[in-house]
Amino acid sequence: MRIGNCSGFYGDRLAAMRQMLEGGQLDVLTGDYLAELTMLILGKDTMKDPSLGYAKTFVRQLEDSLGLALERGVRIVSNAGGLNPAGLADRLREVAHGLGLDPAIAHVEGDDVRALDLRPGALTANAYLGGFGIAAALTAGADVVVTGRVTDASLVVGPAVAHHGWTPTSYDELAGAVVAGHVLECGTQATGGNFSGFKTLPHDGTPLGFPLAEIAADGSCVVTKHDATGGAVTVDTVTAQLLYEIQSTRYLNPDVTTLLDTVELHEVGRDRVSVSGVRGEAPPERLKVCVNELGGFRNTVELVLTGLDIDAKADWVREQLTPALTASEVSWTRTALPPVDADTEEGASCLLRCTVKDASPDPVGRAFTSAAVELALASYPGFTMTAPPAQPTPYGIYRAEYVDRAAVTHTVVHADGRREVVADPTEFSTADDRDSLRPSPFPAPIDSLTRRAPLGSFVHARSGDKGGDANLGLWVVHDGSDKYEARVTWLTKLITPRKVRELLPEAADLDVEVHVLPNLGGVNVLIRGLLGDGVAASTRFDPQAKGLGEWMRSRVVHVQEGLI
């Protein structure tokens, strides 16, 4: 079956749903709208209007494309329901009625576990559900299925289960579908978006195409895209998405534990990459829960430092502003020093940021911004800000919790109103998620002359956030070189927790895990705590660690002479 994707986040390309429906044959079209931060955003929406809590852009997309989807026999599956899948299903029925259409619309619920009081006063608490609820809705004839917080990959697992008739113990097949779902879930990241090898992509102005997967009965698949769309599908673009925001080699999903070190990728044609060999085991016994709490309020001022005596200017304004700061948390950061004799004023400048956080809005509001503004004529020469003072904004804190499956009622509400409870698995994995913390399986390289070069000379990277942890995937580029195997050996020997801390000094005092993925020619690095309490609360320059991989690639290392 052919399953496509038309959204990788809340805010993705509005026209993508229609483009995917018009671009070629599909059986199912999925859309992923949820992230840890999105759940917080939707939670704030419900504080203003309890009838909201879902991705409003999805309604606009379906209003434009529902008739086309029904005409072409393409089913729509999306987690756009967010915190209110029932409300979204009702809204879609209103839209369909207004269009003169009568689709069968089902929804999946049961992920909201705020009643368990995992964190007192939590704004949201949603368990990650699997794909069998989606499968039940499709099997019963649903044209559209909307869910709350299922895992991203479940949007693909559910349709594959319904189509191929897999059972809860079809572990290898389910694991293959999880990999396919993980590749598709972030949309154009699988076709060249956020790809460190972007210079190798065709650049003709055509927007990147969204990916699709042709999933076989054994769980293997071919990742591709519609013809005449931009970007490319290669082993490297697929690897980039495979290594995005994972942790160890054991990828835990509600339906199956996927063994990522068994994945095999092969180019089988232009923009066609086969995914095979994937093995799976029983799923974990407990379900992960995304909990968001309101953490307080934050604000930032950004000062411009220009020309000479940058350090002295920064020291003086900090000395002046610090006594007026009453917030519970104060963070100062500064960009790199400008070059000597810069030929533009912007090039001769750097930025000094002060970010404050507090449980109350008062210490981060006028008390903070006024103290900064009052220094405008009384501080360092050239004092200026990049923007006027702003009002404080609330921020959330993300926490991962775990609950017994018995505490969660995974429920499908079919188009006719019938409610069906999805049975829990009966077999569970007892393996340790940290089992893959092991040395590289490759032999040590022979000593030879080395030269200093950027790590990214032949290494790709992809990075992102997992709550307060940063994920960093590194793998050797597939450029046809006969040095590929030697480069993989070198990379998997080089990247150790100690080396990561050396190359990324911001991680010097943090717990670092390195998991080797030989089949993919690389490693996955987990840096615990780099992002603090998560993206919404982080004061780091790059709160989602999106650029962490590119920083890593720019770091200079000793490389064996023969590998360059």
Side-chain angles (χ1 to χ4, degrees):
M1 69 178 314
R2 287 168 61 92
I3 303 178
N5 170 281
C6 68
S7 177
F9 69 101
Y10 189 11
D12 210 340
R13 190 189 311 168
L14 271 174
M17 182 178 288
R18 175 166 285 276
Q19 290 169 353
M20 286 297 287
L21 290 170
E22 292 178 338
Q25 190 265 324
L26 291 172
D27 297 303
V28 174
L29 183 58
T30 66
D32 178 15
Y33 295 79
L34 301 185
E36 293 153 358
L37 178 61
T38 313
M39 301 301 282
L40 177 65
I41 293 170
L42 296 177
K44 291 178 181 178
D45 283 351
T46 62
M47 294 174 67
K48 301 172 186 176
D49 184 347
S51 69
L52 296 177
Y54 53 77
K56 296 186 287 290
T57 53
F58 178 74
V59 178
R60 294 169 58 189
Q61 289 176 301
L62 214 65
E63 187 171 21
D64 173 67
S65 302
L66 178 58
L68 178 60
L70 294 173
E71 177 185 323
R72 299 201 168 192
V74 180
R75 291 165 150 188
I76 306 293
V77 177
S78 173
N79 60 14
L83 302 177
N84 188 7
L88 176 58
D90 288 340
R91 180 73 184 96
L92 295 178
R93 292 185 186 101
E94 293 175 6
V95 168
H97 180 74
L99 295 171
L101 302 172
D102 187 27
I105 300 176
H107 74 271
V108 178
E109 61 185 27
D111 57 299
D112 186 346
V113 294
R114 282 175 294 178
L116 299 179
D117 204 24
L118 299 174
R119 307 285 305 188
L123 177 62
T124 72
N126 297 81
Y128 288 82
L129 303 180
F132 277 86
I134 296 170
L138 293 172
T139 300
D143 299 303
V144 178
V145 183
V146 292
T147 75
R149 180 68 280 188
V150 298
T151 67
D152 301 341
S154 294
L155 300 174
V156 169
V157 173
V161 167
H163 183 82
H164 291 301
W166 299 332
T167 70
T169 56
S170 301
Y171 295 137
D172 291 346
E173 293 87 345
L174 292 170
V178 165
V179 171
H182 181 54
V183 172
L184 297 190
E185 69 189 42
C186 288
T188 54
Q189 280 196 169
T191 62
N194 289 334
F195 176 47
S196 56
F198 70 99
K199 292 190 295 183
T200 65
L201 300 175
H203 292 278
D204 58 3
T206 306
L208 297 186
F210 279 73
L212 63 93
E214 301 168 351
I215 302 179
D218 64 357
S220 64
C221 72
V222 172
V223 179
T224 184
K225 63 183 184 70
H226 286 325
D227 293 337
T229 58
V233 177
T234 69
V235 168
D236 282 329
T237 66
V238 173
T239 301
Q241 180 56 28
L242 266 179
L243 294 182
Y244 182 61
E245 294 183 349
I246 60 172
Q247 293 186 333
S248 75
T249 60
R250 304 177 63 79
Y251 193 46
L252 306 182
N253 267 254
D255 300 317
V256 66
T257 298
T258 301
L259 306 181
L260 294 177
D261 53 358
T262 64
V263 178
E264 297 178 14
L265 304 179
H266 300 281
E267 291 194 21
V268 292
R270 181 185 175 91
D271 294 321
R272 294 180 63 82
V273 172
S274 74
V275 182
S276 61
V278 187
R279 301 294 302 277
E281 296 178 348
E285 189 168 5
R286 310 187 82 202
L287 294 177
K288 183 179 179 180
V289 179
C290 169
V291 180
N292 280 300
E293 305 169 77
L294 291 178
F297 298 83
R298 64 187 293 167
N299 209 342
T300 299
V301 295
E302 194 170 65
L303 305 168
V304 181
L305 309 172
T306 305
L308 304 177
D309 306 318
I310 295 292
D311 288 332
K313 291 171 180 175
D315 290 344
W316 190 24
V317 72
R318 287 186 62 165
E319 178 185 312
Q320 291 175 302
L321 189 54
T322 295
L325 303 181
T326 60
S328 59
E329 184 177 337
V330 179
S331 173
W332 291 89
T333 60
R334 195 194 70 191
T335 58
L337 291 173
V340 176
D341 196 25
D343 57 5
T344 65
E345 182 178 344
E346 185 174 1
S349 304
C350 70
L351 301 177
L352 177 68
R353 298 185 186 91
C354 180
T355 299
V356 291
K357 295 163 61 177
D358 199 272
S360 167
D362 296 335
V364 301
R366 186 172 296 276
F368 167 58
T369 58
S370 294
V373 170
E374 289 168 3
L375 294 174
L377 305 181
S379 189
Y380 64 87
F383 182 106
T384 188
M385 298 181 181
T386 57
Q391 294 295 318
T393 57
Y395 71 89
I397 295 176
Y398 162 82
R399 302 187 194 281
E401 300 285 353
Y402 295 85
V403 297
D404 292 335
R405 289 177 183 260
V408 178
T409 305
H410 186 175
T411 304
V412 183
V413 182
H414 292 285
D416 60 3
R418 179 173 58 89
R419 301 178 67 86
E420 177 182 353
V421 174
V422 179
D424 288 331
T426 56
E427 298 178 4
F428 303 102
S429 172
T430 58
D432 189 342
D433 188 37
R434 296 166 65 92
D435 282 349
S436 60
L437 286 171
R438 52 182 169 73
S440 164
F442 298 103
I446 299 172
D447 288 341
S448 64
L449 292 175
T450 63
R451 56 185 285 194
R452 289 174 58 77
L455 179 64
S457 298
F458 53 77
V459 174
H460 283 316
R462 170 66 66 77
S463 57
D465 62 300
K466 289 297 265 184
D469 302 335
N471 173 80
L472 169 62
L474 300 167
W475 72 100
V476 172
V477 60
H478 292 80
D479 59 0
S481 171
D482 59 4
K483 302 171 184 176
Y484 175 79
E485 292 184 2
R487 288 172 171 177
V488 171
T489 299
W490 172 83
L491 177 65
T492 57
K493 295 297 183 181
L494 175 74
I495 302 301
T496 64
R498 178 178 178 180
K499 191 65 176 181
V500 171
R501 296 187 188 99
E502 175 189 323
L503 296 176
L504 305 178
E506 294 176 8
D509 299 321
L510 301 176
D511 180 21
V512 176
E513 298 177 12
V514 177
H515 300 270
V516 181
L517 292 159
N519 284 5
L520 301 179
V523 298
N524 192 65
V525 180
L526 192 66
I527 305 174
R528 296 197 176 275
L530 183 68
L531 309 180
D533 289 323
V535 52
S538 178
T539 59
R540 193 175 178 274
F541 166 68
D542 176 19
Q544 290 184 280
K546 296 293 189 183
L548 184 68
E550 290 306 293
W551 178 28
M552 184 70 153
R553 292 181 68 243
S554 74
R555 299 292 281 164
V556 175
V557 296
H558 287 276
V559 185
Q560 292 169 260
E561 184 72 34
L563 299 185
I564 298 295

